[in-house]
Amino acid sequence: MDNGDIKNKLITTATRLFAECGLHGVSVRELSKAAGVSISMISYHFDGKERLYSSVLVEQFSCFDHIDVIKKSVCEPLDKLEDYIRWSIRRYREKPYLLKFYTSELTNPTHYFAQIVQPAIEHVILVLIEIIEEGIRKKQLRSELNPEDTALALVGMVNYYFLSTLATQGLVNHSPQRDEDLTKHYMDIFTKGISATSGNKPY
Amino acid sequence: MDNGDIKNKLITTATRLFAECGLHGVSVRELSKAAGVSISMISYHFDGKERLYSSVLVEQFSCFDHIDVIKKSVCEPLDKLEDYIRWSIRRYREKPYLLKFYTSELTNPTHYFAQIVQPAIEHVILVLIEIIEEGIRKKQLRSELNPEDTALALVGMVNYYFLSTLATQGLVNHSPQRDEDLTKHYMDIFTKGISATSGNKPY
């Protein structure tokens, strides 16, 4: 293995082990053994276990930047919200360990939370708030909405579909083949609501 | 301390330590030291660390039984859903460690997940599905809804408000004084949707 291979191998192995055991639940010895590289390589490439963990977090949360592509896209606020749902679902499909870091850092933050995780999550929610505010200004969304709570409601809907998988696989089909239908259905619930007697009047 | 006090002290201490470090992240020695009781008391009262952990899980998730009170209450489906939101918010206020066990067991299950956590979560979601199906039958909810996805959407909305607290406290006011307003607002979003131009027709 050359240096690039070793570095990649360490990131891949560390992602799995840190996701399963947490920063403090895995030793440098276990990491190097699982990656099949000498223990000195962790210091050489990452300056130790803590920095390896922070490199894993940076790699996991880097995809959150995509929210800026959605923000800048030339389309209406409701289309941007639909794009957000579609992207979130794809993100969890492509990064199977992301939700573990996401929830463990939110419930038991390491000292990298404030530096890496918090800004990434906050930025996504801030952009969603701006999109919702734009929708209210354009009278496409209801003026009574609190944009902050509305943004959290949307993020929660999508995240929980994945978070709940282990507990709900007997009740809900979580197959990726259903992802596009799920995107449309969640968008339908989020925009129209569940009630058959909506109090909304068309503007 | 009498035996009852020792048992309670061990449960209280273990709840905090297991929530913060996980089942494998804390030793019997650390548990007994933090609780201020002799190490033999863990074997005597709980038959070891694993059983102490399972007792903590049982205690944390026992409050999920309340969903049966909501299910049996004599009121319309939409009122039951509002009661679910109100109860969920209260539950996280009253049990500050519950969300940590909830997310860690869903993302990294111990062997007590299938026995204690999964049935508790599944039962809540099953009852919500039944309430939504009842609403559709009574033509109070839209017939196009997939009841399973709709139930997950509601649970996710409420859970994420608490899960995201650490990352969003600069954006969103998480004060308990706002809980009743939040209940009403989430109910409003969930029933009417966010769109100003709802396609719903009154039945």
Side-chain angles (χ1 to χ4, degrees):
Chain A
M1 287 198 280
D2 68 18
N3 273 337
D5 290 341
I6 291 174
K7 211 171 162 178
N8 286 339
K9 183 80 183 143
L10 273 169
I11 287 274
T12 310
T13 308
T15 300
R16 180 173 57 78
L17 289 179
F18 284 138
E20 286 165 4
C21 312
L23 168 58
H24 307 297
V26 57
S27 66
V28 172
R29 189 170 300 274
E30 287 163 329
L31 284 164
S32 66
K33 196 176 165 200
V37 304
S38 130
I39 204 165
S40 62
M41 287 295 109
I42 295 178
S43 317
Y44 178 77
H45 288 288
F46 297 98
D47 203 15
K49 186 176 83 162
E50 300 264 327
R51 289 285 180 85
L52 174 53
Y53 181 78
S54 79
S55 299
V56 167
L57 282 188
V58 167
E59 197 274 324
Q60 287 288 308
F61 285 89
S62 63
C63 62
F64 278 48
D65 290 349
H66 183 75
I67 194 71
D68 289 320
V69 177
I70 294 176
K71 177 185 176 171
K72 287 171 194 156
S73 65
V74 187
C75 60
E76 294 298 334
L78 284 173
D79 297 319
K80 290 182 185 179
L81 296 179
E82 182 170 328
D83 283 346
Y84 165 78
I85 297 176
R86 189 172 289 109
W87 161 64
S88 293
I89 291 175
R90 200 178 63 229
R91 171 165 41 105
Y92 289 123
R93 294 292 182 204
E94 288 172 357
K95 291 190 119 44
Y97 295 111
L98 177 59
L99 197 61
K100 293 184 197 248
F101 290 106
Y102 192 108
T103 55
S104 75
E105 282 287 338
L106 277 171
T107 52
N108 282 315
T110 65
H111 56 271
Y112 295 109
F113 175 75
Q115 194 183 321
I116 301 165
V117 181
Q118 198 270 345
I121 297 177
E122 190 183 59
H123 182 60
V124 169
I125 298 192
L126 203 53
V127 170
L128 290 176
I129 291 172
E130 289 168 5
I131 294 171
I132 291 164
E133 286 171 339
E134 187 196 349
I136 294 173
R137 264 199 317 278
K138 288 184 166 181
K139 300 197 193 309
Q140 294 169 2
L141 304 188
R142 294 196 282 128
S143 58
E144 312 89 275
L145 297 173
N146 168 327
E148 291 81 14
D149 291 341
T150 307
L152 294 192
L154 178 62
V155 178
M157 261 169 87
V158 184
N159 277 6
Y160 192 72
Y161 178 80
F162 290 93
L163 179 61
S164 70
T165 306
L166 263 191
T168 60
Q169 49 198 359
L171 300 174
V172 179
N173 174 3
H174 284 88
S175 150
Q177 274 77 47
R178 220 166 64 81
D179 285 355
E180 185 54 26
D181 282 349
L182 185 76
T183 301
K184 296 286 188 193
H185 190 39
Y186 270 5
M187 194 59 194
D188 177 65
I189 293 173
F190 192 59
T191 54
K192 291 200 233 163
I194 65 166
S195 181
T197 51
S198 167
N200 298 333
K201 295 188 193 95
Y203 65 87
Chain B
M1 286 196 279
D2 68 16
N3 273 338
D5 289 341
I6 291 174
K7 211 170 163 180
N8 287 339
K9 182 80 183 147
L10 274 168
I11 287 274
T12 310
T13 308
T15 301
R16 180 174 56 80
L17 289 179
F18 284 138
E20 285 165 4
C21 313
L23 168 58
H24 306 298
V26 56
S27 68
V28 173
R29 189 171 299 276
E30 287 163 330
L31 284 164
S32 66
K33 196 176 164 199
V37 303
S38 130
I39 204 165
S40 62
M41 287 296 107
I42 295 179
S43 318
Y44 178 78
H45 287 289
F46 297 98
D47 204 15
K49 185 176 85 163
E50 300 265 326
R51 290 286 180 83
L52 174 55
Y53 181 78
S54 78
S55 299
V56 167
L57 283 187
V58 167
E59 197 274 323
Q60 287 290 306
F61 284 90
S62 63
C63 63
F64 278 48
D65 290 350
H66 183 76
I67 194 71
D68 289 321
V69 177
I70 294 175
K71 178 184 175 171
K72 288 172 193 154
S73 64
V74 187
C75 59
E76 294 298 333
L78 284 174
D79 297 320
K80 290 182 185 178
L81 296 179
E82 182 170 326
D83 283 346
Y84 165 78
I85 297 176
R86 188 172 290 109
W87 162 63
S88 293
I89 292 174
R90 200 179 61 228
R91 173 165 39 108
Y92 289 123
R93 295 291 183 202
E94 288 172 358
K95 292 189 119 42
Y97 294 111
L98 177 59
L99 197 62
K100 292 183 196 248
F101 289 106
Y102 191 108
T103 56
S104 75
E105 283 287 336
L106 278 171
T107 52
N108 282 315
T110 65
H111 56 272
Y112 295 109
F113 175 76
Q115 195 182 319
I116 301 166
V117 180
Q118 199 270 344
I121 297 176
E122 190 182 58
H123 182 60
V124 169
I125 296 190
L126 203 53
V127 170
L128 290 176
I129 291 171
E130 289 168 7
I131 295 171
I132 291 162
E133 286 172 340
E134 187 197 348
I136 294 173
R137 264 199 317 278
K138 289 184 166 181
K139 299 194 194 313
Q140 294 169 1
L141 304 188
R142 294 196 284 128
S143 58
E144 312 90 274
L145 296 173
N146 169 326
E148 290 81 14
D149 291 342
T150 307
L152 294 191
L154 178 62
V155 179
M157 259 169 90
V158 184
N159 277 5
Y160 191 72
Y161 178 80
F162 289 94
L163 180 60
S164 70
T165 306
L166 263 191
T168 60
Q169 48 199 359
L171 300 174
V172 180
N173 173 3
H174 284 88
S175 150
Q177 274 77 48
R178 218 165 66 80
D179 285 354
E180 185 55 26
D181 281 350
L182 185 77
T183 301
K184 296 287 187 193
H185 189 40
Y186 270 5
M187 194 58 195
D188 177 65
I189 292 173
F190 192 59
T191 55
K192 293 199 230 162
I194 64 164
S195 179
T197 51
S198 167
N200 297 334
K201 295 189 193 95
Y203 64 89

